[in-house]
Amino acid sequence: EVQLVESGGGLVQPGGSLRLSCAASGFSFSIYSMNWVRQAPGKGLEWASYISSSSSTIYHADSVKGRFTISRDNAKNSLYLQMNSLRAEDTAIYYCAKDGIMGMDVWGKGTTVTVSS
Amino acid sequence: DIQMTQSPPSLSASVGDRVTITCRASQSIGSYLNWYQQKPGKAPELLIYAASSLQSGVPSRFSGSGSGTDFTLSISSLQPEDFATYYCQQSYSIPRTFGQGTKVEIK
């Protein structure tokens, strides 16, 4: 079964750090680009970060640039998002999603990040 | 960055109605336009890719059209399970921008 499973979310104080993980199974993870997409409570989808299959190309949204770092370990079929200097506005459900020019066809169920004192 | 603008932000419709949602890109994106459905508490699901191709398992009452900058998602006969929020997204370039969403509610 094709699957993405996120983990690592939780409650963190403003200025704190968190590392999200996404475990992939059921497809050839190493040949696909991946994304992190987030959704603040009651809001729409916001693309956050992109990484190519070989990690040679990385992009971050302006809203997280300089604070978040996307990475991957193809040997472990895993995607990561290191989040530093967290702010209240980073509170959201974070989804990992398999990328493609024909859409993001596989999504995880999401992991919730809450930034609050 | 390419901006995606959806309309309307929300709509009310009855079971059996035909529903149309539009999405406009700030520059030409060819046919690199995808549509997603999201139900409350669930992850988004890909409905249509490349502007008009139905993802496997998606009912044929869903259809997409358009190219360049203007796109539409249509539901020919709204069913109870179709009440959800719909998002367009461009895959022409990075960042992979989404529209603001259209919430389809029961009239």
Side-chain angles (χ1 to χ4, degrees):
Chain A
E1 180 191 4
V2 175
Q3 200 171 8
L4 293 170
V5 179
E6 302 94 337
S7 61
L11 174 64
V12 61
Q13 292 188 336
S17 298
L18 217 50
R19 189 195 195 207
L20 306 184
S21 298
C22 171
S25 59
F27 67 98
S28 299
F29 176 76
S30 63
I31 67 173
Y32 291 99
S33 301
M34 297 292 296
N35 297 282
W36 286 100
V37 176
R38 66 183 185 177
Q39 187 169 36
K43 302 297 184 183
L45 302 172
E46 179 191 17
W47 170 84
S49 301
Y50 165 96
I51 187 168
S52 62
S53 58
S54 64
S55 304
S56 60
T57 302
I58 286 175
Y59 291 97
H60 294 284
D62 288 344
S63 57
V64 307
K65 200 173 293 182
R67 302 186 298 120
F68 290 12
T69 302
I70 190 172
S71 63
R72 65 191 295 163
D73 185 336
N74 286 341
K76 294 183 177 180
N77 289 337
S78 293
L79 176 72
Y80 305 102
L81 187 67
Q82 178 66 45
M83 304 187 296
N84 299 330
S85 303
L86 283 160
R87 305 167 180 167
E89 54 264 36
D90 296 318
T91 294
I93 298 172
Y94 285 75
Y95 297 101
C96 62
K98 175 174 161 281
D99 189 73
I101 57 172
M102 293 203 261
M104 300 182 194
D105 62 341
V106 184
W107 293 68
K109 296 185 180 205
T111 188
T112 300
V113 173
T114 304
V115 185
S116 174
S117 54
Chain B
D1 296 358
I2 298 173
Q3 309 303 318
M4 307 302 294
T5 304
Q6 268 182 254
S7 61
S10 65
L11 65 88
S12 295
S14 300
V15 172
D17 285 352
R18 180 178 181 83
V19 167
T20 299
I21 299 168
T22 64
C23 179
R24 175 165 289 177
S26 59
Q27 66 183 73
S28 179
I29 58 171
S31 295
Y32 292 101
L33 190 282
N34 312 298
W35 291 97
Y36 300 84
Q37 178 191 65
Q38 187 180 33
K39 296 180 179 179
K42 301 292 187 182
E45 293 184 355
L46 180 63
L47 277 182
I48 289 173
Y49 62 92
S52 60
S53 296
L54 221 56
Q55 178 71 349
S56 175
V58 173
S60 59
R61 61 181 179 272
F62 290 92
S63 64
S65 64
S67 66
T69 60
D70 294 309
F71 302 87
T72 60
L73 170 70
S74 295
I75 309 172
S76 60
S77 177
L78 200 63
Q79 297 301 300
E81 60 268 31
D82 301 336
F83 291 95
T85 301
Y86 295 84
Y87 296 91
C88 63
Q89 175 249 334
Q90 63 83 16
S91 50
Y92 179 82
S93 67
I94 307 294
R96 303 279 200 228
T97 39
F98 291 88
Q100 308 96 310
T102 296
K103 187 174 184 178
V104 176
E105 299 175 301
I106 302 173
K107 182 182 282 186

PDB file of all heavy atoms in Angstrom, chain A residues 21-36:
ATOM      1  N   SER A  21       9.007  14.251  10.792  1.00  0.00           N
ATOM      2  CA  SER A  21       9.441  13.165   9.917  1.00  0.00           C
ATOM      3  C   SER A  21       8.265  12.663   9.104  1.00  0.00           C
ATOM      4  O   SER A  21       7.102  12.797   9.517  1.00  0.00           O
ATOM      5  CB  SER A  21      10.006  12.005  10.749  1.00  0.00           C
ATOM      6  OG  SER A  21      11.135  12.405  11.488  1.00  0.00           O
ATOM      7  N   CYS A  22       8.572  12.091   7.966  1.00  0.00           N
ATOM      8  CA  CYS A  22       7.555  11.504   7.096  1.00  0.00           C
ATOM      9  C   CYS A  22       8.131  10.202   6.550  1.00  0.00           C
ATOM     10  O   CYS A  22       9.144  10.223   5.841  1.00  0.00           O
ATOM     11  CB  CYS A  22       7.211  12.464   5.974  1.00  0.00           C
ATOM     12  SG  CYS A  22       6.149  11.778   4.678  1.00  0.00           S
ATOM     13  N   ALA A  23       7.503   9.088   6.907  1.00  0.00           N
ATOM     14  CA  ALA A  23       7.965   7.776   6.454  1.00  0.00           C
ATOM     15  C   ALA A  23       7.156   7.340   5.243  1.00  0.00           C
ATOM     16  O   ALA A  23       5.917   7.325   5.293  1.00  0.00           O
ATOM     17  CB  ALA A  23       7.814   6.762   7.583  1.00  0.00           C
ATOM     18  N   ALA A  24       7.856   7.003   4.183  1.00  0.00           N
ATOM     19  CA  ALA A  24       7.210   6.590   2.940  1.00  0.00           C
ATOM     20  C   ALA A  24       7.284   5.081   2.770  1.00  0.00           C
ATOM     21  O   ALA A  24       8.288   4.455   3.141  1.00  0.00           O
ATOM     22  CB  ALA A  24       7.871   7.278   1.753  1.00  0.00           C
ATOM     23  N   SER A  25       6.246   4.511   2.185  1.00  0.00           N
ATOM     24  CA  SER A  25       6.243   3.085   1.883  1.00  0.00           C
ATOM     25  C   SER A  25       5.341   2.817   0.690  1.00  0.00           C
ATOM     26  O   SER A  25       4.455   3.623   0.376  1.00  0.00           O
ATOM     27  CB  SER A  25       5.777   2.266   3.090  1.00  0.00           C
ATOM     28  OG  SER A  25       4.477   2.645   3.474  1.00  0.00           O
ATOM     29  N   GLY A  26       5.611   1.726  -0.006  1.00  0.00           N
ATOM     30  CA  GLY A  26       4.755   1.304  -1.103  1.00  0.00           C
ATOM     31  C   GLY A  26       5.063   1.919  -2.450  1.00  0.00           C
ATOM     32  O   GLY A  26       4.367   1.637  -3.430  1.00  0.00           O
ATOM     33  N   PHE A  27       6.087   2.772  -2.521  1.00  0.00           N
ATOM     34  CA  PHE A  27       6.495   3.340  -3.810  1.00  0.00           C
ATOM     35  C   PHE A  27       7.990   3.649  -3.751  1.00  0.00           C
ATOM     36  O   PHE A  27       8.599   3.635  -2.671  1.00  0.00           O
ATOM     37  CB  PHE A  27       5.680   4.591  -4.164  1.00  0.00           C
ATOM     38  CG  PHE A  27       5.900   5.786  -3.269  1.00  0.00           C
ATOM     39  CD1 PHE A  27       6.761   6.811  -3.636  1.00  0.00           C
ATOM     40  CD2 PHE A  27       5.225   5.896  -2.051  1.00  0.00           C
ATOM     41  CE1 PHE A  27       6.952   7.920  -2.817  1.00  0.00           C
ATOM     42  CE2 PHE A  27       5.408   6.993  -1.227  1.00  0.00           C
ATOM     43  CZ  PHE A  27       6.278   8.014  -1.605  1.00  0.00           C
ATOM     44  N   SER A  28       8.562   3.926  -4.893  1.00  0.00           N
ATOM     45  CA  SER A  28      10.008   4.176  -4.986  1.00  0.00           C
ATOM     46  C   SER A  28      10.304   5.605  -4.543  1.00  0.00           C
ATOM     47  O   SER A  28      10.482   6.512  -5.361  1.00  0.00           O
ATOM     48  CB  SER A  28      10.490   3.941  -6.408  1.00  0.00           C
ATOM     49  OG  SER A  28      10.280   2.612  -6.812  1.00  0.00           O
ATOM     50  N   PHE A  29      10.398   5.781  -3.258  1.00  0.00           N
ATOM     51  CA  PHE A  29      10.565   7.111  -2.659  1.00  0.00           C
ATOM     52  C   PHE A  29      11.729   7.873  -3.284  1.00  0.00           C
ATOM     53  O   PHE A  29      11.626   9.070  -3.553  1.00  0.00           O
ATOM     54  CB  PHE A  29      10.799   6.933  -1.152  1.00  0.00           C
ATOM     55  CG  PHE A  29      11.082   8.210  -0.400  1.00  0.00           C
ATOM     56  CD1 PHE A  29      10.062   9.094  -0.096  1.00  0.00           C
ATOM     57  CD2 PHE A  29      12.374   8.523   0.017  1.00  0.00           C
ATOM     58  CE1 PHE A  29      10.311  10.273   0.609  1.00  0.00           C
ATOM     59  CE2 PHE A  29      12.645   9.694   0.712  1.00  0.00           C
ATOM     60  CZ  PHE A  29      11.605  10.569   1.011  1.00  0.00           C
ATOM     61  N   SER A  30      12.819   7.198  -3.565  1.00  0.00           N
ATOM     62  CA  SER A  30      14.052   7.876  -3.971  1.00  0.00           C
ATOM     63  C   SER A  30      13.964   8.565  -5.329  1.00  0.00           C
ATOM     64  O   SER A  30      14.829   9.380  -5.653  1.00  0.00           O
ATOM     65  CB  SER A  30      15.221   6.884  -3.975  1.00  0.00           C
ATOM     66  OG  SER A  30      14.994   5.871  -4.940  1.00  0.00           O
ATOM     67  N   ILE A  31      12.962   8.269  -6.130  1.00  0.00           N
ATOM     68  CA  ILE A  31      12.902   8.871  -7.462  1.00  0.00           C
ATOM     69  C   ILE A  31      11.898  10.018  -7.539  1.00  0.00           C
ATOM     70  O   ILE A  31      11.727  10.619  -8.605  1.00  0.00           O
ATOM     71  CB  ILE A  31      12.577   7.824  -8.548  1.00  0.00           C
ATOM     72  CG1 ILE A  31      11.155   7.258  -8.396  1.00  0.00           C
ATOM     73  CG2 ILE A  31      13.616   6.716  -8.560  1.00  0.00           C
ATOM     74  CD1 ILE A  31      10.744   6.358  -9.538  1.00  0.00           C
ATOM     75  N   TYR A  32      11.255  10.336  -6.416  1.00  0.00           N
ATOM     76  CA  TYR A  32      10.241  11.387  -6.431  1.00  0.00           C
ATOM     77  C   TYR A  32      10.643  12.588  -5.595  1.00  0.00           C
ATOM     78  O   TYR A  32      11.206  12.454  -4.501  1.00  0.00           O
ATOM     79  CB  TYR A  32       8.909  10.858  -5.916  1.00  0.00           C
ATOM     80  CG  TYR A  32       8.257   9.872  -6.862  1.00  0.00           C
ATOM     81  CD1 TYR A  32       8.368   8.502  -6.640  1.00  0.00           C
ATOM     82  CD2 TYR A  32       7.566  10.302  -7.984  1.00  0.00           C
ATOM     83  CE1 TYR A  32       7.797   7.592  -7.503  1.00  0.00           C
ATOM     84  CE2 TYR A  32       6.993   9.400  -8.856  1.00  0.00           C
ATOM     85  CZ  TYR A  32       7.109   8.048  -8.613  1.00  0.00           C
ATOM     86  OH  TYR A  32       6.550   7.150  -9.477  1.00  0.00           O
ATOM     87  N   SER A  33      10.288  13.766  -6.096  1.00  0.00           N
ATOM     88  CA  SER A  33      10.385  14.969  -5.286  1.00  0.00           C
ATOM     89  C   SER A  33       9.279  14.934  -4.235  1.00  0.00           C
ATOM     90  O   SER A  33       8.267  14.256  -4.402  1.00  0.00           O
ATOM     91  CB  SER A  33      10.224  16.215  -6.158  1.00  0.00           C
ATOM     92  OG  SER A  33      11.221  16.253  -7.150  1.00  0.00           O
ATOM     93  N   MET A  34       9.491  15.684  -3.172  1.00  0.00           N
ATOM     94  CA  MET A  34       8.534  15.685  -2.074  1.00  0.00           C
ATOM     95  C   MET A  34       8.279  17.115  -1.598  1.00  0.00           C
ATOM     96  O   MET A  34       9.099  18.014  -1.809  1.00  0.00           O
ATOM     97  CB  MET A  34       9.070  14.856  -0.902  1.00  0.00           C
ATOM     98  CG  MET A  34       9.266  13.373  -1.211  1.00  0.00           C
ATOM     99  SD  MET A  34       7.741  12.471  -1.478  1.00  0.00           S
ATOM    100  CE  MET A  34       6.967  12.597   0.141  1.00  0.00           C
ATOM    101  N   ASN A  35       7.142  17.286  -0.941  1.00  0.00           N
ATOM    102  CA  ASN A  35       6.754  18.581  -0.407  1.00  0.00           C
ATOM    103  C   ASN A  35       6.296  18.472   1.040  1.00  0.00           C
ATOM    104  O   ASN A  35       5.829  17.422   1.472  1.00  0.00           O
ATOM    105  CB  ASN A  35       5.568  19.167  -1.201  1.00  0.00           C
ATOM    106  CG  ASN A  35       5.887  19.445  -2.630  1.00  0.00           C
ATOM    107  OD1 ASN A  35       6.528  20.425  -2.970  1.00  0.00           O
ATOM    108  ND2 ASN A  35       5.427  18.557  -3.516  1.00  0.00           N
ATOM    109  N   TRP A  36       6.389  19.580   1.739  1.00  0.00           N
ATOM    110  CA  TRP A  36       5.649  19.789   2.977  1.00  0.00           C
ATOM    111  C   TRP A  36       4.613  20.873   2.678  1.00  0.00           C
ATOM    112  O   TRP A  36       4.951  21.927   2.126  1.00  0.00           O
ATOM    113  CB  TRP A  36       6.555  20.229   4.120  1.00  0.00           C
ATOM    114  CG  TRP A  36       7.406  19.131   4.687  1.00  0.00           C
ATOM    115  CD1 TRP A  36       8.712  18.882   4.414  1.00  0.00           C
ATOM    116  CD2 TRP A  36       6.993  18.128   5.638  1.00  0.00           C
ATOM    117  NE1 TRP A  36       9.144  17.784   5.123  1.00  0.00           N
ATOM    118  CE2 TRP A  36       8.121  17.309   5.883  1.00  0.00           C
ATOM    119  CE3 TRP A  36       5.797  17.848   6.304  1.00  0.00           C
ATOM    120  CZ2 TRP A  36       8.080  16.218   6.774  1.00  0.00           C
ATOM    121  CZ3 TRP A  36       5.758  16.771   7.177  1.00  0.00           C
ATOM    122  CH2 TRP A  36       6.891  15.974   7.399  1.00  0.00           C
TER     123      TRP A  36
END
